Amino acid sequence: MNGSIKTFVIDTNVFIHRPDALLSFKDNEIVIPLAVLEELDKLKSYSDERGRNARQSIRFLHEAGSHGNLNEGVKLENGSVLRVELTYAKDHALDLEPNKSDNRIILTAYMLQQQGKRVFFVTKDINARVKATAIGIKAVDYEKQKVNINELYQGYIEIDSTEEVLARLREKRSIEWQDHLVANEYVILNDRRNDKLALSRYNPDLERLEYVNQKTAAVSGIRPLNENQSIALDLLLDDVIPLVTLVGKAGTGKTLLALAAALRKVLEEHRYTRVLVGRPVVPMGKDIGYLPGTKTEKLSNWMQPVFDNLEYIVSKMKNANARTVDQLLGSNLIEIEALTYIRGRSLPNQFLIVDEAQNLSPHEIKTIVSRAGEGTKVVLTGDPYQIDSPYLDSNSNGLTYLVGTLKGQRLFGHVTLKKSERSKLAELAAELL
């Protein structure tokens, strides 16, 4: 290969993040260290998303290998040459123990660089990038599915206005709007002189702002406490919008509003057959499969924040059919589930809430949303700055990627909730700690 060709050495976690990631590297050399295949082999028996992605990655490599010799190099459809490297640097002065697979992967990249290749070590592991950089290897993150969190679509804009415009919007229920906005984007018209405001949603077909009533009746006993929450409820209660994302820090009401709207739609309007709430299981110690007890008992700790919100909503509701959370769960009107168990199911006519969605990769988000059957509404909530997964960050997680990708689609609505409605202490902690 000539000097302009780059050699991308791919770490295991890139495959786990996206099994077809190799197709992103066009017209260059792609090298898979033998240690990566060994790690994929260990992961393939897992029943979670890692195991599924490992198996899919192995199948991809097997298919590529059927067209040639992977040790010598196989041409891919994107113009790159894929090769498995069986050796790594052994005669070196680096203090890297080769008994660790991570080190063998880095030593493979080091050996290729010593041979004069333009090496780029691609990994989702920050510590691996630090180690590689320390020994002079160019280390990069997998950037294919990233968005800039600082430029993330907010779902609304705020514009200074006048009392006359606000009055006309309330009276006519809609006004013409020439400025270009995207579908389902909201505009907060602010009359600062009289300390008044009006909320509206942009309709691109008519090029008009349509009035949104912030003083609607309580939804399952819950009332919006600010403009952002009013936007959230407007999206959640609109059956024409089957996909909604709510992003915000702790205490902004993401999960509470989603659950309140879901109960309204299921218990009062009978629009959906039941509420299905799922959370990703991101263990900081033992995985859920190793915890004692039944599945319900295992999930109780993971789902406690959901139960807390349900208890609060039920205490505010006046519906005789919703006396306790246990009665709702027992009647099968609400199902609490780990996302691991949702995959593969058909989910028609349900109100699906995915809580803590920032802990999902773009591939996992795609898998979940694509499971939505006919008549199902999907709501994803999360805080991109509170991520437990070691290989995701505020820019690369599936929630922010979804918002950045689907912005402006007619079937999609989003709002970033900014104001915490918990205690002043909770808001201070979320802001500063």
Side-chain angles (χ1 to χ4, degrees):
M1 291 189 176
N2 60 53
S4 64
I5 295 296
K6 299 175 183 178
T7 297
F8 294 101
V9 179
I10 312 299
D11 199 0
T12 312
N13 47 65
V14 176
F15 286 103
I16 301 306
H17 180 77
R18 183 172 178 175
D20 63 349
L22 298 187
L23 297 178
S24 303
F25 303 92
K26 298 180 179 180
D27 302 319
N28 286 289
E29 181 184 36
I30 304 172
V31 175
I32 312 298
L34 181 61
V36 169
L37 297 181
E38 293 171 345
E39 288 192 325
L40 289 174
D41 187 55
K42 293 177 182 178
L43 291 170
K44 70 181 183 183
S45 61
Y46 287 29
S47 60
D48 59 7
E49 193 71 19
R50 291 172 299 171
R52 282 185 283 270
N53 288 348
R55 293 190 293 273
Q56 189 173 339
S57 300
I58 292 170
R59 286 193 292 268
F60 179 93
L61 294 172
H62 178 265
E63 171 62 24
S66 66
H67 301 290
N69 189 323
L70 280 175
N71 183 231
E72 297 176 358
V74 175
K75 192 83 172 215
L76 298 179
E77 60 185 64
N78 63 357
S80 286
V81 174
L82 171 65
R83 186 166 64 84
V84 172
E85 181 56 63
L86 304 178
T87 61
Y88 55 89
K90 298 177 181 177
D91 185 16
H92 59 81
L94 303 176
D95 190 20
L96 290 175
E97 295 293 334
N99 60 321
K100 295 182 179 180
S101 59
D102 286 353
N103 289 344
R104 292 199 301 276
I105 295 169
I106 294 174
L107 288 171
T108 300
Y110 180 78
M111 178 191 70
L112 295 172
Q113 183 165 280
Q114 293 299 104
Q115 294 173 0
K117 295 179 180 291
R118 295 178 61 202
V119 173
F120 292 82
F121 176 44
V122 185
T123 178
K124 302 294 296 178
D125 189 329
I126 297 176
N127 189 57
R129 292 204 295 270
V130 171
K131 290 166 70 173
T133 303
I135 63 174
I137 301 172
K138 178 71 173 178
V140 296
D141 193 1
Y142 178 70
E143 300 278 354
K144 182 68 175 178
Q145 295 173 301
K146 276 198 161 190
V147 296
N148 187 341
I149 186 66
N150 296 318
E151 300 175 359
L152 189 68
Y153 172 57
Q154 301 294 298
Y156 69 93
I157 59 173
E158 187 169 355
I159 295 178
D160 288 337
S161 188
T162 64
E163 184 177 10
E164 291 74 23
V165 173
L166 267 63
R168 190 165 76 252
L169 175 63
R170 293 192 183 99
E171 179 184 355
K172 302 293 185 180
R173 313 309 288 180
S174 72
I175 57 176
E176 291 185 2
W177 195 256
Q178 300 301 322
D179 293 345
H180 177 69
L181 300 174
V182 300
N184 301 321
E185 186 171 6
Y186 289 76
V187 177
I188 301 173
L189 298 171
N190 198 334
D191 174 17
R192 299 184 187 278
R193 176 178 298 180
N194 297 295
D195 194 24
K196 295 181 180 179
L197 55 82
L199 184 61
S200 61
R201 192 208 294 189
Y202 181 65
N203 185 326
D205 295 327
L206 303 176
E207 294 187 340
R208 298 180 71 87
L209 294 182
E210 298 178 339
Y211 179 66
V212 175
N213 186 6
Q214 294 178 255
K215 298 180 180 180
T216 55
V219 177
S220 301
I222 304 299
R223 294 182 183 275
L225 300 178
N226 55 57
E227 294 76 40
N228 292 165
Q229 289 192 356
S230 294
I231 292 172
L233 280 178
D234 191 56
L235 290 170
L236 291 166
L237 295 174
D238 191 342
D239 297 328
V240 177
I241 303 177
L243 180 60
V244 174
T245 52
L246 306 180
V247 167
K249 61 187 178 181
T252 52
K254 306 180 298 294
T255 307
L256 180 69
L257 294 171
L259 287 169
L263 290 176
R264 155 78 77 83
K265 288 294 180 178
V266 171
L267 297 181
E268 299 178 31
E269 299 182 14
H270 307 290
R271 173 64 180 77
Y272 305 96
T273 56
R274 64 175 169 174
V275 183
L276 177 58
V277 186
R279 279 184 133 209
V281 178
V282 184
M284 302 305 291
K286 294 182 179 180
D287 201 338
I288 188 171
Y290 295 96
L291 296 175
T294 63
K295 185 179 75 171
T296 302
E297 292 169 336
K298 291 177 182 181
L299 288 174
S300 60
N301 289 329
W302 299 106
M303 298 297 183
Q304 193 56 52
V306 175
F307 290 129
D308 292 342
N309 278 295
L310 283 173
E311 291 283 1
Y312 179 76
I313 293 171
V314 169
S315 70
K316 297 291 183 180
M317 291 176 66
K318 298 179 180 180
N319 189 327
N321 296 323
R323 296 176 183 174
T324 68
V325 173
D326 287 340
Q327 287 176 338
L328 290 174
L329 293 171
S331 64
N332 203 34
L333 291 174
I334 297 181
E335 182 181 357
I336 310 295
E337 188 68 283
L339 290 180
T340 301
Y341 303 116
I342 289 179
R343 179 170 178 144
R345 294 174 55 181
S346 179
L347 305 172
N349 300 310
Q350 300 189 35
F351 197 112
L352 171 61
I353 300 173
V354 179
D355 199 28
E356 301 292 341
Q358 78 277 4
N359 284 318
L360 298 170
S361 71
H363 180 72
E364 290 172 314
I365 288 285
K366 178 181 178 181
T367 300
I368 292 167
V369 174
S370 64
R371 295 312 307 165
E374 187 67 30
T376 287
K377 188 180 184 86
V378 181
V379 178
L380 300 107
T381 71
D383 179 1
Y385 294 101
Q386 297 292 328
I387 294 178
D388 300 316
S389 172
Y391 302 129
L392 297 175
D393 58 32
S394 58
N395 300 300
S396 65
N397 69 87
L399 180 59
T400 53
Y401 177 72
L402 179 70
V403 173
T405 303
L406 294 187
K407 168 189 173 182
Q409 296 295 316
R410 305 298 178 91
L411 301 181
F412 171 69
H414 166 76
V415 63
T416 298
L417 300 163
K418 295 184 176 180
K419 185 178 179 182
S420 174
E421 295 296 347
R422 290 181 181 173
S423 67
K424 292 183 178 181
L425 175 60
E427 184 174 3
L428 180 66
E431 188 71 31
L432 300 180
L433 297 183

